Amino acid sequence: MTIFYAPDIANSPFLPDDESAHCAKVLRLQAGVVVHLIDGVGNLYEAAIVAPHAKRTEVKILSVQHDFGCRPWRLHLAVAPTKNSDRFEWFVEKATEIGVDTITPLLCRYSERKAIRPDRIEKILVSASKQSYKARIPQLNPMTAVADFVQQVREPYRFVAHCYEGDKPHLLHVCPPRSEVVIMVGPEGDFSREEVDWALQQHFQPVTLGASRLRTETAGVVACHLATVVNEI
């Protein structure tokens, strides 16, 4: 089933320009074809194409499923963007496919990338949500310094994955199911000890993601997967 992103579909029967072009020019869908639409906030629509047009495709809503795929848990990943922007974008895509609610890019002492392109990331979030059949698009927060982030966090269950020695249980063993969870992953050079201390002072629990030393983007995906496994077994 073809899926389109139409954030204003509840108020307007027309697809956005880019989705209209994809519908009419790329896929060449004709009037009467039934498609699915997501609005990005959790609703899945079944609709029939009324009039395909490269800039203004009109559709008719046939049915709607509210809170489609709604889960009794929420995951917030705070991850330092990688020096290679492609790798961070890969993480965003895969985390969206697996299941994440919020992504916060972290600015750390050892960060090699101090800025991202939100417009590009937003497109990846939309594309990955459509591909993985999710009606709710993850929220992308502005890049935030670690010191500010740990003070702003509202999730009751907080974890920081770092590489320093110490007593660190595996995330799989301590991440609670059906809860609101935030997991922090640092840059390639890891968090500084001071940043880890800031997190601990704000009631973050240090965790390990396994025996292997992982790249930042891999660690983010592994953390996302482990939190999902906890909630699906």
Side-chain angles (χ1 to χ4, degrees):
M1 177 64 71
T2 305
I3 300 178
F4 296 100
Y5 175 50
D8 198 37
I9 193 61
N11 303 310
S12 170
F14 299 100
L15 299 184
D17 288 358
D18 54 344
E19 296 286 47
S20 290
H22 187 62
C23 173
K25 297 181 66 176
V26 178
L27 299 178
R28 297 184 181 278
L29 300 182
Q30 302 299 311
V33 173
V34 175
V35 298
H36 280 173
L37 315 175
I38 59 171
D39 59 7
V41 294
N43 301 308
L44 177 69
Y45 298 81
E46 186 176 64
I49 297 175
V50 174
H53 187 278
K55 291 187 177 180
R56 193 173 171 80
T57 291
E58 183 179 359
V59 299
K60 178 182 179 181
I61 301 301
L62 303 177
S63 65
V64 58
Q65 296 182 57
H66 300 290
D67 297 322
F68 178 79
C70 182
R71 311 171 307 185
W73 57 285
R74 293 186 63 80
L75 176 61
H76 181 172
L77 294 175
V79 180
T82 54
K83 181 178 181 180
N84 185 327
S85 60
D86 289 347
R87 289 180 177 171
F88 185 72
E89 291 170 3
W90 177 85
F91 150 72
V92 168
E93 178 183 70
K94 300 312 172 188
T96 301
E97 292 176 12
I98 296 168
V100 65
D101 299 284
T102 306
I103 295 175
T104 299
L106 284 180
L107 180 61
C108 308
R109 177 179 178 182
Y110 299 130
S111 290
E112 294 187 275
R113 176 167 293 278
K114 302 184 184 302
I116 61 168
R117 291 181 53 187
D119 56 336
R120 183 174 175 85
I121 299 297
E122 292 284 1
K123 290 181 179 179
I124 293 171
L125 291 172
V126 170
S127 177
S129 296
K130 290 164 56 180
Q131 189 279 329
S132 55
Y133 210 57
K134 290 180 172 60
R136 188 178 299 277
I137 295 172
Q139 174 182 327
L140 176 66
N141 290 335
M143 182 172 279
T144 307
V146 173
D148 295 328
F149 178 78
V150 297
Q151 294 181 351
Q152 297 170 1
V153 164
R154 294 294 177 264
E155 287 83 359
Y157 296 96
R158 311 169 182 187
F159 302 99
V160 53
H162 65 78
C163 298
Y164 295 107
E165 296 294 327
D167 182 19
K168 297 182 296 182
H170 198 291
L171 177 64
L172 188 63
H173 299 152
V174 293
C175 185
R178 294 172 292 282
S179 303
E180 295 185 12
V181 171
V182 59
I183 305 170
M184 289 173 53
V185 174
E188 294 297 325
D190 204 358
F191 293 110
S192 68
R193 287 189 176 274
E194 185 178 33
E195 289 168 336
V196 173
D197 289 341
W198 290 339
L200 299 182
Q201 290 168 14
Q202 297 301 322
H203 310 293
F204 278 76
Q205 180 176 356
V207 292
T208 178
L209 301 178
S212 298
R213 189 177 182 91
L214 305 175
R215 287 184 177 275
T216 293
E217 70 275 15
T218 310
V221 169
V222 168
C224 183
H225 173 66
L226 291 173
T228 301
V229 168
V230 166
N231 281 278
E232 293 185 349
I233 58 177

